[in-house]
Amino acid sequence: MNKSFATRLKAATVSLTMAAAVLPAYPATVNAVSTSGVIPFSANKGVSQTMKVDSVYEGTIPEEGAKSVTFTLSTSYTGQSFSYGFGCSTTDSPYWLELDKSGKWMEGGTNSKVEGTACKLDKASSTITIDLTKAGAKPGGKFEFRCYYSAHWDNSKSDMVDNSVTLTDVEFAGGSSSSSGSGSSGSSSSSSSNSGKWSFKDNKDGTATVSATVSKQLDDLDYDLTVGYDEDYYAAKGTEITDTTPINSHKFKYSDFGIVDSEGITIDSLSVIVEADFDVDKFMYGCGTNVEMGSPADTEYAKRGIIDGKDDAGYWYNEMGEDSREEFEEAGVKFGLKNIGEGTTLEEAGKYIECVWDVPEEVQKYQTIGNGDSIGFQFWYGTKEASKYTEITSSDPVTITSATLTYTITKTIPYTKSVKATVGKSLDCTASSDSKKNLEISYSDLGIEEDMDVYAIRFDVSAKNDVKKLVYGTGTGTTNAAQKYWYQEPVSSVVLGAGKSAEIMWILPKEVVGSSPDKHTVNPDSNIVFGYYYGESDTITVDSIEVYYAVPEVIVTTTTTTTTTTTTTTTTSATTQKETKVTKWGDVNCDGDLDLSDAVLIMQSLSNPNKYGVEGTSDKRITEQGIINGDVFENGSGLTTSDASSIQKKLLNLITELPESYK
């Protein structure tokens, strides 16, 4: 091999590896981007992008999702050497993955070992296809295609010479055919299209991290929306809002959807069905949600002391039109977020209007979903009779008739093993008999014994025809007399876009699994129920059930006593419950991650134990498990401010591991 070429190739490989290694875990852009590199998040078709060393093409995955993406590249040389990297947003943690040269999807970040992929391009046109199915690519999410190295052999110099190639096309394949954009059919589509998705990871330490995206549906609603009357209107008049007061909005409490335990939950989207007695042409709406007081997402708090009537405002994020935002900013309001939603406009909406709001990631960081917290929907403006452009007025209310909340729940649970059993039971949602609608099966028939604590159950179902919206319910027997020995999910669950099959993961709630083994009330001597309530296919089949359980470990302690009057040694044994183990060092809030919020919770629990202590009033209070996880400074010395400092040092890479010790 030519020595110069070998040297350059080695240097290029090192450069490629280093470039991949410094990728952020969830990048908006790559830091090392040349001026030729980045184009805006826009249409992927009709691309004409020069790709040379360190240049980046950024784009968006279609909102209907995709199974693969193909990049078409044009070059003037045969045997062009080209090295590339690819990363994309994902629906689950860590929310961004990089494609390694081995074909594996890996986390990025400063300590990452992700390496780019080298290939040869033919003269004229070549294609690179990337399989997205194992990445869990987020519909509507960002992706990046990067050039790490691009060169060809130059005979005149007997060496490799850097040169560029041209990216001429980006094409996705394998997505669904759901609508998007303006919603000409009277609906808007959601990028949170992973209803029913789940994941399970055995942590190999007696725990597992399980995640499921769940949709909860409220039907038979009757909330009239009257344009022109909002909360600010009544606040300015000093009028109290009652159930009969005309208003253009409605706030859904998270408890309305059956959420009573906010731990590990991220709200993905709200879908609202609005119906009218007349054909609606244009329909404009905006949404909002409770957020942490004074956080960057608190658009109402930002108005304090500047806008009349807003002296006590806060705890709320509101979408707002561009004109409204400009008026507030001209008045001196400084919002914490650069990008605030401007609402959604549907054209030719009709009489049945499906409105969807995906909660922005910037808002999710600060969203509060405790007892009393809400997510809101507001009707801003509308027209009817397109030919006459007649505005909808207060005399023409429209009505919310249904609402669906989609959220992702992620929990770390005790875990020993799972058992899977074939069922093959057909369920008919049109049947009058509950026995034909519901599957009721005993834990013992599934292989669960009395010493097994159940924490999650997966139902695998199928149908001969597309189910589309699969509405179902789940329940389990308990040992709790106060629950009448039975727990039923209070609100129906939904899998959106179920197709002909679905895998439904039910993470059992705290009401039945408790916060410690002695509070676990799932009864292994009782039954599980799965009910099929509605779907485009009248019948489905529950093909199999998998039950995830933990066997509480026991240890045998031996005590030896010796008397002075005899030479006999007596040994006695006692069986006790094993002490709770650390699930993850530093994970004080037990959400499976290590971040600044863990250090904050330690400080809160120490400074305000009445609110954030184990017996505190806050739904975000510390737990016994959190105390065990958080004792990271001189482990065994108890929870102190030093533990919070150790967590922060770990996050800043000032120490390499937890727990921290100076002994």
Side-chain angles (χ1 to χ4, degrees), residues 76 87 89 93 212 340 435 474 487 524 607:
S76 301
S89 301
S93 177
I340 297 177
S435 63
T474 48
Y487 174 83
S607 63

Side-chain angles (χ1 to χ4, degrees), residues 599-645:
V600 171
L601 183 54
I602 290 177
M603 301 303 293
Q604 289 175 321
S605 68
L606 295 173
S607 63
N608 191 356
N610 290 335
K611 184 174 182 180
Y612 294 104
V614 174
E615 303 298 329
T617 57
S618 173
D619 60 352
K620 294 186 177 181
R621 62 188 178 274
I622 199 168
T623 63
E624 293 288 354
Q625 183 66 62
I627 292 175
I628 292 170
N629 290 351
D631 187 9
V632 294
F633 179 80
E634 300 291 358
N635 179 248
S637 62
L639 206 63
T640 68
T641 56
S642 295
D643 298 297
S645 297

Side-chain angles (χ1 to χ4, degrees), residues 455-626:
Y455 285 90
I457 305 169
R458 196 184 81 237
F459 304 91
D460 294 347
V461 303
S462 62
K464 293 181 179 180
N465 303 310
D466 279 351
V467 181
K468 295 185 178 178
K469 181 183 285 188
L470 192 161
V471 184
Y472 67 94
T474 48
T476 180
T478 74
T479 59
N480 190 336
Q483 295 173 338
K484 298 182 179 180
Y485 304 106
W486 183 257
Y487 174 83
Q488 183 85 24
E489 284 283 349
V491 178
S492 297
S493 300
V494 185
V495 177
L496 305 173
K500 294 183 179 180
S501 64
E503 296 178 348
I504 298 169
M505 176 67 82
W506 183 30
I507 304 173
L508 273 63
K510 186 177 286 187
E511 290 98 313
V512 292
V513 301
S515 56
S516 61
D518 62 326
K519 294 182 180 179
H520 190 284
T521 64
V522 178
N523 187 356
D525 293 327
S526 63
N527 297 339
I528 303 169
V529 167
F530 179 90
Y532 178 40
Y533 301 152
Y534 174 78
E536 291 293 319
S537 176
D538 290 344
T539 61
I540 64 170
T541 299
V542 180
D543 298 311
S544 61
I545 298 178
E546 186 162 6
V547 183
Y548 302 81
Y549 67 87
V551 177
E553 297 182 44
V554 296
I555 57 174
V556 177
T557 60
T558 302
T559 59
T560 302
T561 59
T562 304
T563 67
T564 59
T565 58
T566 69
T567 58
T568 302
T569 300
T570 303
T571 303
T572 61
S573 297
T575 301
T576 61
Q577 288 291 325
K578 187 176 181 180
E579 293 183 1
T580 305
K581 299 190 302 183
V582 172
T583 58
K584 182 174 184 177
W585 286 113
D587 184 16
V588 182
N589 57 16
C590 301
D591 64 354
D593 296 321
L594 180 67
D595 53 38
L596 189 58
S597 64
D598 296 303
V600 171
L601 183 54
I602 290 177
M603 301 303 293
Q604 289 175 321
S605 68
L606 295 173
S607 63
N608 191 356
N610 290 335
K611 184 174 182 180
Y612 294 104
V614 174
E615 303 298 329
T617 57
S618 173
D619 60 352
K620 294 186 177 181
R621 62 188 178 274
I622 199 168
T623 63
E624 293 288 354
Q625 183 66 62

